[in-house]
Amino acid sequence: MAFGQARWVTSKPVVNMYSKPSLDADVVSQAIYGVTVQQVASTDKSSVIPEGWIQIKTPDDYTGWVLRESFLPLDEKENYAGKDKRVVTVANRGANVYREPDVTEHAPVLVLPFEAALEVIGVSEKQSDRWLKVRLTNGSEAWVQRGDVQDRTGKLLSIPESIELAKKFLGVTYTWGGTSSFGFDCSGFTQMLMRQRGVVMPRDADVQARWDGFVTVKKEDLKAGDLLFFGTEKSITHTGMYIGNGEFIHDTTHDHPMVQISRLGDPYWTKLLVIAKRTK
């Protein structure tokens, strides 16, 4: 397959994407387990790419450098978790995957974040109501408890449902570049919430604020589900989701680095609020 056309599936729970092919570079985003990514050709022809690195693009069109060892080549005829297969996604903040349908025999073989995809290939003969047999990205078989996953049905969340989902992540630590329940950054968190509503928007807060899929909303007209953008007119640096009653939920480093609920009337946030947006 020609360079720049290869497709890969993420084979580790969460993989950091870097701005340059170096572990010393800044993390720009992440890819989570089971997600298909596209390899892209580097536009920088002046530098030598270190061995073991590839540049990828995630389904939200975000690019970054990753270690090749964190991905497996995707056979076009055997798409992992393809549309013709039964697929479940992790429904909780995390899910343990075991080598057998038992939580006591061995430690989990994987701990996966919210939204990670698994292909279902069977059920436990003895505990069919509790365990699902799944195929991992490397082709091996494992087991996950039904209560940790949900079928990927394509059902979209309402705004109240998305707010309830957001609250499940209260206390999840802030992680720069994070897009998983093991650690979000502010825009990774809102992007995930909007994705659950069927809105596929850009990755970064400043780009989100300029996205043409939104319309501007006056502060006095705010409704639950609107997105808030903070910083300055020239530099948007933070975002969160309004949940009503003067409150918004966000992942921030302010006071406590975690997903938390803050009041829009707090002087700290009042002076930083730049604009509010709502989907068209």
Side-chain angles (χ1 to χ4, degrees), residues 174 251-260:
Y174 179 94
D251 204 344
T252 177
T253 58
H254 179 60
D255 285 340
H256 308 289
M258 66 177 70
V259 175
Q260 55 190 278

Side-chain angles (χ1 to χ4, degrees), residues 38-277:
Q38 180 84 33
Q39 183 176 344
V40 297
S42 174
T43 57
D44 183 2
K45 305 301 182 182
S46 62
S47 59
V48 177
I49 300 173
E51 184 176 354
W53 288 86
I54 58 174
Q55 191 174 30
I56 64 165
K57 180 170 66 174
T58 49
D60 61 357
D61 289 330
Y62 209 86
T63 59
W65 289 92
V66 296
L67 287 169
R68 157 73 177 78
E69 65 186 20
S70 300
F71 298 82
L72 292 171
L74 187 67
D75 187 327
E76 297 293 341
K77 296 180 181 179
E78 291 292 338
N79 277 2
Y80 178 76
K83 63 180 180 180
D84 58 335
K85 304 176 185 296
R86 183 188 174 190
V87 178
V88 293
T89 58
V90 174
N92 300 324
R93 284 166 56 156
N96 292 331
V97 180
Y98 297 90
R99 68 176 76 175
E100 65 272 289
D102 192 298
V103 301
T104 63
E105 290 295 321
H106 298 96
V109 295
L110 283 172
V111 181
L112 298 178
F114 176 72
E115 290 188 298
L118 292 163
E119 179 189 337
V120 178
I121 56 175
V123 297
S124 170
E125 294 181 1
K126 295 181 179 180
Q127 303 181 67
S128 60
D129 62 332
R130 178 177 177 186
W131 291 94
L132 293 175
K133 190 177 187 179
V134 296
R135 181 168 69 93
L136 303 182
T137 55
N138 63 4
S140 63
E141 298 176 356
W143 297 86
V144 66
Q145 296 187 86
R146 287 181 182 269
D148 276 336
V149 296
Q150 59 189 359
D151 280 288
R152 189 173 68 184
T153 61
K155 178 182 179 296
L156 303 179
L157 299 186
S158 65
I159 290 175
E161 288 172 334
S162 70
I163 292 172
E164 287 306 305
L165 173 66
K167 291 178 180 179
K168 288 185 178 181
F169 301 102
L170 287 171
V172 169
T173 187
Y174 179 94
T175 301
W176 177 259
T179 63
S180 86
S181 56
F182 294 167
F184 294 102
D185 64 14
C186 65
S187 57
F189 183 58
T190 54
Q191 186 191 43
M192 178 276 292
L193 294 174
M194 296 300 286
R195 183 166 56 243
Q196 299 302 311
R197 288 164 50 186
V199 179
V200 181
M201 67 180 189
R203 167 73 177 86
D204 295 330
D206 57 340
V207 184
Q208 291 174 359
R210 300 192 304 269
W211 186 48
D212 61 8
F214 287 138
V215 294
T216 301
V217 178
K218 294 180 180 180
K219 185 177 178 180
E220 57 269 27
D221 295 329
L222 280 173
K223 294 182 180 179
D226 292 342
L227 294 191
L228 307 171
F229 295 93
F230 303 85
T232 67
E233 292 288 347
K234 295 183 178 180
S235 179
I236 298 295
T237 58
H238 186 63
T239 183
M241 179 181 286
Y242 187 68
I243 60 174
N245 298 317
E247 296 181 324
F248 65 103
I249 191 165
H250 56 149
D251 204 344
T252 177
T253 58
H254 179 60
D255 285 340
H256 308 289
M258 66 177 70
V259 175
Q260 55 190 278
I261 294 175
S262 299
R263 292 203 61 81
L264 197 54
D266 182 326
Y268 179 85
W269 296 111
T270 297
K271 67 180 181 181
L272 290 176
L273 180 63
V274 175
I275 199 167
K277 295 282 186 169

